[in-house]
Amino acid sequence: MNIKNICCIGAGYVGGPTMSVIAKFCPDIQVNVVDINHKRISQWNEKNLSDLPIYEPGLREIIEKCRGKNLHFSTDLKKNIEKADMIFISVNTPTKIRGIGSGQAIDLKYVEASSREISKYARGHTIVVEKSTLPVKTAQTIKAILDAATEDVNKSKITKTFSVLSNPEFLAEGTAISDLENPDRVLIGGEDKEAINELVNIYSKWIDKVKVLTTDLWSSELSKLISNAFLAQRISSINTISALCEATGARIKDVSLAVGMDRRIGKYFLNSGPGFGGSCFKKDISNLVYISNHYGLFEVANYWQKVLDINSWQQKRFVELIVKKMFGTISSKKIAILGFAFKANTNDTRESPAINICKKLIEEGAFLKIYDPKVKEHQIIKELGLNENNKEHRDWEYSNSIHKTFKDVDAALFLTEWCEFASLNWRDISKIMRKPSWVFDTRSIVDMDLVKENGINIWQVGYGN
Ligand code: NAD
Ligand code: UGA
C-alpha cells in the first residue's frame, strides 16, 4: 500500500495543525481535513490568514504554502472518506455531562459517529488512526463498528477492510507547530505490522526513526492519558508548594529551580500558577479516575482525584486571598483581568482558570475589565455566560487596549503569562489606578520590585509577602 490520500475527521486544534504539518512534509500526499462544523471549515478556507479559527505561531505560514495544493478543508465527509487510504479520527472527546459516568467518563459519541461514517463510505483497504485522546480499549469499539460494515459488504462482494491504529497526539497549544515538527516522540500502537509501517513511513519524512515508538493498541492509548496525568500532577505538586512558600517566606521560583536542576526530576512543568487549564488535563484525569474506579482500583482513583482537587483549591484560595488583601470586600471595586486564555500564545479559553476566578470575583461583587491580546469578546461572553445580551447590566467589560484596562481599577490580576505583561510601564500605570492599588500576579510575570517602587502593593504566587 502506498498512502496517497489522507482524510482527517475533525478540523480542530489537533486536526488542523497536525494535518498542516503532514501536508508540509509530504507534498506527494493529498491531505483532506473534514468537519461537520461549516463555520470552522469556512474559517480554515479564509483568504485573510488572520481569520483562521486557531492561532498558533507558525501555522499561517504552512497554510499559505500548502492550502489548495495538497491541503484541503471541506465539509464533504463522503467524498473524502471514499478516496482515503488512511483516515485520522481527530474529533473532540468531552467529558460526559449526563448519565452513567457523568462528570468523569469520556463521551465517545463523536468518535462513534466518525467510525460509522467511515464504515459507510470507505472503499478498499483503509487504515483508521485514532488521533483523539481516548479511554484505553476504545479501539475495540471502533473495530466492532468497522467490522460490522465489513461483514455487510462481504455479502454484496464490495471490498472493504480496515486496520485500526492508535497514534495519540502530544502537541501543546501555543507550541503546536514546533511540537509537531520536532516531537519528543511519536507513538503508534496496533496489531497490523504493515499498517504500522505505512504510518511510520509518513512520520519518517521529517522525524528521526528512533523517536517513533511502536507498541500494542492498549499501551498506546493508555500512555497518552498517563502523559497528561503526569504533567498535570507536577503542576498540582508545585502549586501546593507555592502555598507553603507563601506561608514560610521561601521563594517558589528558587525552589523550582533548585528542584528542577536535579536531572532525575527535570526543570519542566514546575511553574506555579492559577492551576492548569485547557481542554484536556481535567477531562483526561477525570477519565483516569473513572477507569481506575471501573477496575476496582479505588486507591489509584483517589490518588489522581487529588491532582484535580488541588487544582480547584489553588483557584479558590487565590480569590479568598484577593478579597482578604483588599480589606475584606471587593464589592463595587474594579479589577483589571490581564489574560483570559488558559496559557500564553493561544486564543483557546477552554477550562481556563480565568473562567472560575472571574466568576467568583463577580459573585463577590467586583466589576471586571478583561483584556487578552488574542481572545475575542464573544468568546469571553460564551465562557462567562453572564448577562450575555445586555452590556449595560454586565458585571464586566471587554477592553481592547492594555493601557486603558488599568484606568480607575483598584487591582490588576494577572492570569495568563503573555510576554507583553512582563514589560509594562508601571510608572504610567500607577498614575491611572485608584489608590491604594494592588497587583495580584498568579504567573510570576511582572517585575515585583518595579511595581513596588511605583507605590503599588503586590502579591505574587509563591512569595511570602
Ligand atoms: P476540537 O473541539 O478543537 O476539534 C474537534 C472537531 O471535531 C470539531 O471541529 C468538531 O466539529 C469535529 N467533529 C466532531 N464530530 C465530528 C464528526 N462526526 N464528523 C466530523 N467532524 C466532527 O478538539 P481538539 O482540541 O482538536 O481535540 C481533539 C482530540 O485531540 C481530543 O480527543 C483531545 O483530547 C485530543 N488532543 C487535544 C490537544 C489540544 O491541544 N487541543 C492535544 C492533544 C490531544
Ligand atoms: C497539554 C500537554 O502539555 C500536551 O502534551 C498534550 O498533548 C495536551 O495537553 C493535550 O492532550 O491536550 P496544553 O494543554 O495545550 O498541552 O498546554 P500545557 O502547556 O500543557 O499547559 C496546560 C496548563 O498547565 C496551562 O493552563 C498552563 O498554564 C499550565 N501550566 C503548565 C502551569 O501552570 N505550569 C507549568 O509549569 C506548565
Side-chain angles (χ1 to χ4, degrees), residues 8-17 34-38 40 44 54 56 77 89-94 106 109-115 117 131-134 168-173 176 224 228 279-280 283-284 342 348 350:
C8 173
I9 306 183
Y13 283 86
V14 169
V34 296
D35 206 295
I36 42 172
N37 182 334
H38 287 246
R40 212 166 212 189
W44 279 112
I54 288 165
E56 275 297 337
L77 272 77
I89 300 179
S90 192
V91 297
N92 38 330
T93 49
I106 295 293
K109 67 180 172 193
Y110 303 111
V111 174
E112 190 173 329
S114 307
S115 310
E117 299 283 345
K131 187 48 112 180
S132 298
T133 304
L134 298 168
E169 186 46 61
F170 296 100
L171 69 80
E173 287 177 31
K224 170 62 198 179
N228 274 1
S279 62
C280 295
K283 115 179 136 57
D284 292 344
F342 80 99
D348 196 350
R350 292 177 292 178

Side-chain angles (χ1 to χ4, degrees), residues 40-303:
R40 212 166 212 189
I41 290 297
S42 67
Q43 285 174 313
W44 279 112
N45 286 322
E46 268 293 338
K47 264 204 185 124
N48 181 353
L49 293 172
S50 331
D51 291 336
L52 292 177
I54 288 165
Y55 170 72
E56 275 297 337
L59 176 65
R60 62 184 278 174
E61 289 79 359
I62 304 181
I63 299 287
E64 199 165 19
K65 186 171 168 231
C66 302
R67 197 177 61 187
K69 294 188 183 114
N70 69 328
L71 176 65
H72 314 274
F73 295 91
S74 160
T75 51
D76 193 340
L77 272 77
K78 179 177 183 292
K79 186 180 88 190
N80 289 298
I81 290 174
E82 258 173 15
K83 62 181 183 192
D85 308 308
M86 183 178 271
I87 301 175
F88 287 82
I89 300 179
S90 192
V91 297
N92 38 330
T93 49
T95 303
K96 277 184 85 172
I97 49 169
R98 61 171 183 233
I100 300 165
S102 165
Q104 279 189 333
I106 295 293
D107 190 339
L108 286 172
K109 67 180 172 193
Y110 303 111
V111 174
E112 190 173 329
S114 307
S115 310
R116 288 183 191 280
E117 299 283 345
I118 297 171
S119 75
K120 203 176 350 164
Y121 300 126
R123 295 282 173 269
H125 186 68
T126 312
I127 300 172
V128 177
V129 186
E130 298 176 341
K131 187 48 112 180
S132 298
T133 304
L134 298 168
V136 56
K137 297 241 142 174
T138 303
Q140 220 163 38
T141 309
I142 297 175
K143 274 187 190 173
I145 294 169
L146 299 177
D147 286 348
T150 310
E151 282 159 24
D152 270 359
V153 288
N154 280 348
K155 282 180 218 150
S156 60
K157 306 254 182 324
I158 307 168
T159 1
K160 202 181 259 212
T161 54
F162 301 97
S163 297
V164 177
L165 300 179
S166 156
N167 172 223
E169 186 46 61
F170 296 100
L171 69 80
E173 287 177 31
T175 51
I177 300 301
S178 60
D179 292 343
L180 287 161
E181 292 192 350
N182 187 21
D184 288 347
R185 77 306 204 184
V186 167
L187 182 59
I188 302 173
E191 290 155 355
D192 177 350
K193 292 239 156 28
E194 256 179 63
I196 292 176
N197 281 340
E198 292 291 351
L199 191 51
V200 171
N201 287 340
I202 290 176
Y203 284 116
S204 305
K205 293 269 171 16
W206 76 97
I207 298 161
D208 193 333
K209 268 197 178 160
V210 294
K211 283 188 176 178
V212 184
L213 307 179
T214 56
T215 180
D216 61 275
L217 282 165
W218 317 140
S219 306
S220 174
E221 288 176 337
L222 189 60
S223 300
K224 170 62 198 179
L225 278 189
I226 302 312
S227 297
N228 274 1
F230 270 54
L231 290 170
Q233 178 222 47
R234 279 172 73 96
I235 300 170
S236 279
S237 296
I238 202 67
N239 283 342
T240 63
I241 305 308
S242 70
L244 200 54
C245 284
E246 288 160 31
T248 57
R251 300 157 73 91
I252 192 66
K253 274 201 170 170
D254 295 353
V255 174
S256 293
L257 181 69
V259 170
M261 276 178 80
D262 185 325
R263 272 181 296 136
R264 295 166 304 174
I265 297 171
K267 64 181 178 182
Y268 297 105
F269 274 67
L270 289 180
N271 293 323
S272 65
F276 53 77
S279 62
C280 295
F281 281 174
K282 187 174 168 200
K283 115 179 136 57
D284 292 344
I285 298 179
S286 301
N287 184 228
L288 184 57
V289 171
Y290 181 75
I291 292 171
S292 305
N293 275 325
H294 171 81
Y295 287 104
L297 301 167
F298 306 118
E299 284 75 10
V300 179
N302 292 343
Y303 175 80

Side-chain angles (χ1 to χ4, degrees), residues 365-382:
F367 182 86
L368 310 181
K369 292 173 83 177
I370 306 178
Y371 170 83
D372 188 292
K374 289 285 173 215
V375 178
K376 306 232 164 79
E377 183 175 15
H378 67 85
Q379 223 171 312
I380 300 177
I381 293 175
K382 197 178 109 205

Side-chain angles (χ1 to χ4, degrees), residues 315-379:
Q315 291 163 20
K316 187 168 155 263
R317 91 177 176 87
F318 283 179
V319 173
E320 286 168 0
L321 186 142
I322 291 168
V323 174
K324 193 167 159 211
K325 296 256 182 214
M326 294 178 78
F327 313 120
T329 176
I330 53 170
S331 179
S332 304
K333 288 181 182 157
K334 286 188 183 165
I335 300 180
I337 302 293
L338 285 307
F340 200 84
F342 80 99
K343 64 186 277 196
N345 293 321
T346 176
N347 60 347
D348 196 350
T349 56
R350 292 177 292 178
E351 297 291 339
S352 175
I355 302 169
N356 271 336
I357 293 176
C358 287
K359 280 185 175 171
K360 288 197 174 100
L361 294 173
I362 289 171
E363 254 170 53
E364 290 291 331
F367 182 86
L368 310 181
K369 292 173 83 177
I370 306 178
Y371 170 83
D372 188 292
K374 289 285 173 215
V375 178
K376 306 232 164 79
E377 183 175 15
H378 67 85
Q379 223 171 312

